């Protein structure tokens, strides 16, 4: 379809991911309004002030809302708050929910919207800022056939890979949650490994080089340890606070299911230690600095 | 050099790794004697009974000993037991120690051998059975220049990659220890992730496929989860007992250094739960069956 024939698309949350997604949609020819409470974030998307708003309520006439806000509380406020879009959007419009949220939240939100004739795609994203900007994200999606059909043209503009994980909202969020469990444990493990390696006297760069070619490697080890080697914790590529949130979702979900997750729990505590030490807004590789603060190891220093 | 000009090489421990290493040396033209207490293991290396022995004491005249036994206790017995080789080997001969041991053990063993004029290469290996058989292992090595020189021709026959990690015995073992910390945590995390994913209703094959292409992937996730999907825990490619041992080395070393390793400790407990449940000799991916035993999840069943 021609993007010009699609109604206006509202992108809520113009942070590191949402900005690139909004730009990808615009580049593909969609009529996009960006929404963020931060004027600076709005200016990055729409320097002339046009096609941007600070209030989600202004997006009521959109055919699609792409929600890229930080957490479930913000999703709840946008949809069901005093000026919530759930009441004002037109029947048949869609909410594409890209935040990482608990599967149960995705399910209940979809049900509440369906009761008002609105479509919902459970569509958490992965790939980082660069892929968001390039329209090359990975989306772990689930929802009804109607939701997938409505979201399809937008997905083509934003994503390289869309996993279609089932008909029920929550299934996409479940897979994303498991990915985050692994990602969080692997970042914490990379930190523990580098810290102990330094403690026993191994050169950290050598350790990194060997592990990257060995069975101990992980995507996160390979990706995050260079930040430790550079001593570069600011600006964050992804922050400690993201993982206290996402591992919190893992623990909440597991608790609801009465299911043990000792590793996720230990990793959660490590991210919480980093946040408690004032590193919540720093790069998530800052977990390694928890070990430094607790011992006599000396980490590589930044420039 | 011509392998025929090298003295006899004794390979002690003809298990899944040692057998392939002994065969690789033999293929390269070295005069090799295989040693194992198990007659079946000896017969696999030397069906005619020649060039094999059940007693390490028979290897006293070897120019090089490649030790591929299970743990530090066995190394200790071979070298310093009542018939120990440390007393009987000729000055200038070398012990190439490939078992995963504590760095402090590698250091003290090297010192005790040096006092008797023997060389020692701290040379833990990685790569698995197939690479051992192909002469394509990875070796994380440290030791004196003389030790590297003496071990070189044998390494050429057994290994694809030899990391030269320093002049001091223990440095190779330190890097291997960190690799095992990560490998153990990643196997346990893969188990926890698959178990929770199944609990929340995700199809395990789909979960595997998505995670393998996502930021939550690790070498171990990709390698071990297929065994979970196949329900194939016997025969083990690598057993639970290997990781209670190797994570035990991590915890012992960290304790000596008064250094916290909460993730390694949690992973150690999970492998110990698997061993306590009778799965010690099963594949290390059996950690996932700890979660099954504790809950109502149903794992894929083997054929």
């Amino acid at each position: 379809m021609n993007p010009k024939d699609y109604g206006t698309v509202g992108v809520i949350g113009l942070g590191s991911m949402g900005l690139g997604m909004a730009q990808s949609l615009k580049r593909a020819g969609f009529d996009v309004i960006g929404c963020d409470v931060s004027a600076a974030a709005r200016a990055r998307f729409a320097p002339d002030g046009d096609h941007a708003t600070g209030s989600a309520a202004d997006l009521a006439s959109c055919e699609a809302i792409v929600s890229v806000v930080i957490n479930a509380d913000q999703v709840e406020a946008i949809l069901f708050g005093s000026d919530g879009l759930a009441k004002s959007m037109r029947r048949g419009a869609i909410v594409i929910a890209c935040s990482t949220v608990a599967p149960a939240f995705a399910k209940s939100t979809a049900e509440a919207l369906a009761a008002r004739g609105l479509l919902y795609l459970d569509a958490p994203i992965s790939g980082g800022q660069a892929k968001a900007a390039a329209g090359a994200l990975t989306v772990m999606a689930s929802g009804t056939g109607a939701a997938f059909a409505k979201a399809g043209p937008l997905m083509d503009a934003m994503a390289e890979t869309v996993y279609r994980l089932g008909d029920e909202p929550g299934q996409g969020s479940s897979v994303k949650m498991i990915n985050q469990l692994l990602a969080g444990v692997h970042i914490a493990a990379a930190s523990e490994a580098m810290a102990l390696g330094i403690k026993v006297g191994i050169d950290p760069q050598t350790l990194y080089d060997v592990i990257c070619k060995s069975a101990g490697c992980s995507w996160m080890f390979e990706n995050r340890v260079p930040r430790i080697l550079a001593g570069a914790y600011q600006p964050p590529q992804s922050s400690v606070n993201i993982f206290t949130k996402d591992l919190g979702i893992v623990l909440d979900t597991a608790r609801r299911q009465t299911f043990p997750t000792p590793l996720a729990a230990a990793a959660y505590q490590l991210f919480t230690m980093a946040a408690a030490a004032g590193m919540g807004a720093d790069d998530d590789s800052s977990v390694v600095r928890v070990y430094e603060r607790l011992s006599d190891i000396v980490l590589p220093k930044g420039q």
Side-chain angles (χ1 to χ4, degrees), chain A:
Chain A
M1 72 162 294
N2 187 332
K4 294 294 173 207
D5 299 331
Y6 205 94
T8 303
V9 179
V11 177
I12 307 181
L14 300 171
S16 59
M17 300 298 281
L19 174 63
M21 294 164 73
Q23 287 168 334
S24 294
L25 288 166
K26 195 169 157 183
R27 201 168 54 238
F30 289 93
D31 179 36
V32 181
I33 300 179
C35 174
D36 202 291
V37 290
S38 152
R42 292 197 297 275
R44 276 192 291 275
F45 174 66
D48 60 2
D50 208 15
H51 286 86
T53 175
S55 167
D58 291 342
L59 304 177
S61 63
C62 286
E63 185 166 355
I65 296 290
V66 180
S67 168
V68 203
V69 295
I70 293 195
N71 57 27
D73 285 351
Q74 292 188 3
V75 175
E76 183 79 17
I78 287 159
L79 296 177
F80 305 108
S82 52
D83 274 338
L85 286 167
K87 278 186 299 204
S88 56
M89 286 176 77
R90 290 176 302 184
R91 293 182 71 86
I94 186 167
V95 172
I96 300 172
C98 299
S99 312
T100 299
V101 299
F105 177 83
K107 191 164 182 292
S108 63
T109 303
E111 286 166 359
L113 292 180
R116 294 177 175 277
L118 296 170
L119 298 169
Y120 182 93
L121 193 71
D122 180 22
I125 52 179
S126 168
Q129 193 166 353
K131 291 210 165 179
L137 288 171
T138 294
V139 185
M140 299 172 183
S142 66
T144 60
F148 271 104
K150 187 85 171 181
L154 308 184
M155 289 295 167
D156 290 345
M158 297 187 291
E160 185 175 274
T161 307
V162 178
Y163 291 108
R164 191 161 173 166
L165 297 165
D167 296 335
E168 292 180 23
Q171 292 170 308
S173 285
S174 290
V175 172
K176 178 72 192 288
M177 176 183 74
I178 299 298
N179 184 67
Q180 295 305 92
L181 182 166
L182 288 161
V185 170
H186 294 169
I187 291 169
S191 296
E192 184 163 304
M194 292 303 297
L196 180 61
I198 290 168
K199 177 69 182 178
V200 300
I202 312 171
D203 172 65
Q205 180 70 52
T206 301
L207 182 56
Y208 176 71
D209 294 341
V210 176
I211 295 294
C212 281
K213 296 192 173 174
S214 302
C217 196
S218 68
W219 193 98
M220 281 295 175
F221 185 93
E222 192 161 4
N223 185 267
R224 296 303 205 262
V225 172
R227 305 183 198 172
I228 296 173
L229 296 173
Y233 305 98
Q234 274 290 346
Q237 290 195 38
S238 181
S239 74
V240 166
N241 286 337
I242 296 288
F243 273 100
T244 51
K245 174 179 82 70
D246 288 0
L247 288 171
I249 289 169
V250 171
L251 297 183
D252 284 348
T253 301
R255 188 169 55 186
R256 286 167 75 119
Q257 303 269 351
T258 315
F259 200 81
T261 53
L263 283 175
Y268 172 83
Q269 289 297 331
L270 285 161
F271 283 101
T272 300
M273 289 178 205
M279 306 168 192
D282 293 345
D283 196 81
D284 53 28
S285 58
S286 292
V287 171
V288 75
R289 293 193 287 163
V290 170
Y291 295 86
E292 184 185 46
R293 193 171 281 221
L294 291 170
S295 72
D296 59 357
I297 65 167
V298 178
L299 294 172
K301 291 292 168 266
Q303 299 308 311

